[in-house]
Amino acid sequence: MNDVKAFWEKPLRELDRGEWEALCDSCGRCCLHKLEDEETGELFPTNVACKLLDRRSGGCTDYSNRRKVVADCVVLDRKKVGGLDWLPDTCAYRLREAGEPLPDWHYLISGSRETVHEAKQSTRGWTVSETDAGELEYHMVDRAL
């Protein structure tokens, strides 16, 4: 019998860089702007995407230079994941940090990059780029972060 675990079943600390990057399902939801209530700290989702997000594929259009182009882009790493409560509940990094399995629609499980979109877990079809959006307050949505 083969007892070798698929890399996405390993703890995050055991992943190499390629495995870490492959864990992303390209939902794009971490690249959406959020509004924060200054008094309570509560976060509110919007449908406004970072200007670098390809809203159809869910990937960054300039991934290797994203921090140069978008100064406040948050680079996910093993140390930060547990403390980022604005990551979607379905985020593979968040799930694996908590020891949870990936959802059936994750491409590593389904074998298709389209299942994240088919399951309505991505930014496809309901978001607008920040270059076209205007005031974020007019783009609040009734969706989970």
Side-chain angles (χ1 to χ4, degrees):
M1 290 206 169
N2 188 353
D3 290 335
V4 176
K5 282 186 178 179
F7 77 83
W8 57 87
E9 294 175 343
K10 294 193 250 179
L12 293 180
R13 69 183 177 282
E14 293 180 15
L15 300 181
D16 64 31
R17 182 174 176 155
E19 293 168 338
W20 174 267
E21 295 294 332
L23 197 55
C24 178
D25 61 25
S26 296
C27 74
R29 291 169 49 202
C30 61
C31 298
L32 296 179
H33 289 276
K34 292 96 179 146
L35 292 173
E36 182 176 4
D37 183 303
E38 292 178 8
E39 292 179 15
T40 66
E42 184 178 1
L43 294 176
F44 298 92
T46 73
N47 69 338
V48 180
C50 170
K51 63 186 175 185
L52 294 181
L53 182 68
D54 178 328
R55 295 175 298 119
R56 178 148 178 77
S57 72
C60 184
T61 59
D62 196 3
Y63 189 75
S64 59
N65 296 306
R66 67 193 183 281
R67 292 280 299 148
K68 293 175 189 163
V69 179
V70 179
D72 61 349
C73 177
V74 176
V75 177
L76 296 180
D77 64 31
R78 290 161 185 81
K79 295 175 187 168
K80 290 180 190 168
V81 169
L84 300 175
D85 19 343
W86 51 262
L87 285 174
D89 290 341
T90 58
C91 174
Y93 298 107
R94 188 175 194 172
L95 291 170
R96 293 306 305 136
E97 172 71 16
E100 299 291 328
L102 299 180
D104 291 342
W105 48 258
H106 193 288
Y107 85 97
L108 291 170
I109 306 299
S110 71
S112 170
R113 285 277 188 185
E114 287 299 305
T115 51
V116 65
H117 309 296
E118 292 164 358
K120 307 281 189 234
Q121 297 297 320
S122 74
T123 57
R124 185 185 287 176
W126 62 277
T127 58
V128 62
S129 174
E130 67 185 349
T131 58
D132 301 319
E135 301 283 332
L136 289 179
E137 291 80 10
Y138 298 113
H139 291 277
M140 291 174 55
V141 293
D142 187 22
R143 290 179 176 251
L145 287 174

